[in-house]
Amino acid sequence: MGYRGRFAPSPTGDLHFGSAATALLAWLRARAANGAFLWRVEDIDTPRIVAGCEQQQRDDLHWLGLDWDEGPDIDGAHAPYRQSQRGPMYEEALARLAAQGLLYLCDCSRKEIAGVASAPHAGEEGPRYAGTCRRHGMRQRHWRRPPAVRLAVPDREIVVDDLLQGQLRQNVAAEVGDFILKRGDGIYAYQLAVVVDDLAMEISEVVRGVDLLTSAPRQKLMAELLGGRAPDFAHVPLVVGHDGSRLQKRNTAQTLRGQRAQGSTAAQLLRTIARTLGLQVPDRTDLRLQHFLDGFDISMLRGCREVRLHVEPR
Ligand code: GLU
């Protein structure tokens, strides 16, 4: 099987310099390998979806010079390419996990979980779940609130060898606990959808922002439990403002849409992103994304977790 890469934004806001950098690197990586490139719409968390955002993202990506072989606008062998339309596949994956006795229903509230948690920390994803409901399995009971579906995480270490960030070892059971695959409100979790889709779409390598690095062990585990092989991972640096601040998809000075509205050209944007990432910028006035293919080597970003937005000297 040849290289198959993807860019999978959530249509929850405008693409900014950071998402553009990730998209550009994912595209360059796929095209430099003569591989296929997919655009997938991660619109699973319906309450957070912004109307018109998918179309805006598509236009912005085209404007930057990206093209794709499969996606919601052109279809392909693995359609549909919108997660909101892939529910039956997520349900089928859940059934396979349930058949292995790996799922259980849980009606614990956030507050209860925080109260039981052994450690107050556990980072941005909230406290580790102690597995309170695990003993009940999938049995129906009297629910205090609509139950979520959790994975009974096997107690073993998962090793991810990230192309850029090196080796990551994590015992998911000890560090994250039994995570949610389907929420009480019926929405499938990102951790389920992304794994089912990357497997079904035969993605060979995931290029995405380093903010998702800590999800990789969970996703590798899930792929294995579903009888597949996880893709390789290359987590690329996060772009922050020139002053180190976090980029905002609401700040029009930092979004592709805003930049376009202010009259920036794609060539200017490409130059800014390339300088930000430290890529060699071809010396030509008609600069296009293809021009970066020559000599492109993603490993120059090895060990790099954060880059500051380049500002052109006046
Ligand atoms: N949909 C996710 C996001 O927009 C990306 C998921 C992934 O690349 O695995 O942050």
Side-chain angles (χ1 to χ4, degrees):
M1 192 184 77
Y3 187 102
R4 286 175 62 84
R6 46 71 157 184
F7 181 58
S10 306
T12 51
D14 287 333
L15 298 174
H16 54 44
F17 284 109
S19 24
T22 301
L24 184 145
L25 289 168
W27 185 92
L28 285 170
R29 178 84 176 143
R31 294 307 187 210
N34 278 317
F37 188 65
L38 277 69
W39 169 40
R40 184 171 73 223
V41 175
E42 302 219 320
D43 58 351
I44 199 89
D45 194 355
T46 36
R48 293 185 54 227
I49 302 310
V50 175
C53 188
E54 175 190 321
Q55 289 69 27
Q56 182 70 45
Q57 293 187 340
R58 182 197 56 207
D59 292 352
D60 288 345
L61 293 172
H62 273 316
W63 177 77
L64 259 192
L66 274 82
D67 63 349
W68 41 89
D69 308 294
E70 297 173 38
D73 53 342
I74 47 177
D75 270 351
H78 306 282
Y81 293 91
R82 280 187 199 95
Q83 291 190 327
S84 58
Q85 298 167 337
R86 297 178 61 81
M89 283 158 251
Y90 307 142
E91 217 39 67
E92 196 253 345
L94 287 177
R96 273 160 57 201
L97 296 169
Q100 299 173 62
L102 286 168
L103 301 186
Y104 65 89
L105 296 170
C106 165
D107 67 350
C108 293
S109 67
R110 271 170 209 265
K111 209 171 154 192
E112 286 164 350
I113 294 169
V116 175
S118 45
H121 79 305
E124 75 264 29
E125 307 189 52
R128 174 184 174 279
Y129 181 57
T132 316
C133 288
R134 203 200 253 229
R135 65 199 156 92
H136 298 297
M138 291 297 280
R139 262 199 322 277
Q140 292 296 325
R141 312 174 253 146
H142 169 72
W143 302 116
R144 296 170 300 158
R145 55 187 66 79
V149 179
R150 284 187 188 269
L151 178 72
V153 175
D155 184 14
R156 63 178 151 96
E157 189 176 60
I158 303 292
V159 182
V160 172
D161 284 302
D162 189 86
L163 182 69
L164 301 178
Q165 306 300 333
Q167 192 174 79
L168 182 66
R169 294 171 165 269
Q170 189 183 69
N171 182 321
V172 179
E175 290 177 45
V176 182
D178 296 343
F179 55 92
I180 288 180
L181 298 184
K182 189 179 183 182
R183 289 168 14 188
D185 61 6
I187 291 181
Y188 300 100
Y190 158 68
Q191 304 291 358
L192 172 71
V194 74
V195 173
V196 170
D197 291 349
D198 284 338
L199 283 179
M201 296 175 187
E202 301 178 85
I203 300 301
S204 61
E205 184 180 81
V206 167
V207 176
R208 64 182 178 196
V210 76
D211 51 329
L212 287 167
L213 179 63
T214 54
S215 287
R218 260 171 286 174
Q219 294 171 7
K220 184 171 183 186
L221 168 69
M222 282 283 293
E224 289 171 7
L225 295 177
L226 287 168
R229 184 185 174 282
D232 294 334
F233 292 100
H235 286 89
V236 302
L238 221 57
V239 177
V240 297
H242 57 87
D243 56 356
S245 61
R246 215 185 140 89
L247 298 187
Q248 305 283 349
K249 51 192 177 188
R250 286 202 186 80
N251 180 346
T252 51
Q254 297 177 338
T255 65
L256 295 189
R257 184 156 71 111
Q259 287 289 324
R260 287 172 70 183
Q262 285 164 31
S264 291
T265 65
Q268 286 169 329
L269 247 289
L270 288 173
R271 203 167 269 125
T272 299
I273 295 169
R275 293 246 157 81
T276 298
L277 292 168
L279 300 181
Q280 195 70 40
V281 180
D283 182 22
R284 48 196 305 162
T285 44
D286 64 338
L287 189 67
R288 288 189 291 127
L289 183 52
Q290 280 89 327
H291 298 141
F292 290 92
L293 275 174
D294 205 20
F296 175 73
D297 181 8
I298 201 169
S299 66
M300 58 162 301
L301 291 168
R302 199 163 276 160
C304 183
R305 290 200 169 232
E306 191 177 288
V307 289
R308 289 193 177 208
L309 193 61
H310 172 82
V311 190
E312 282 297 327
R314 291 184 181 257

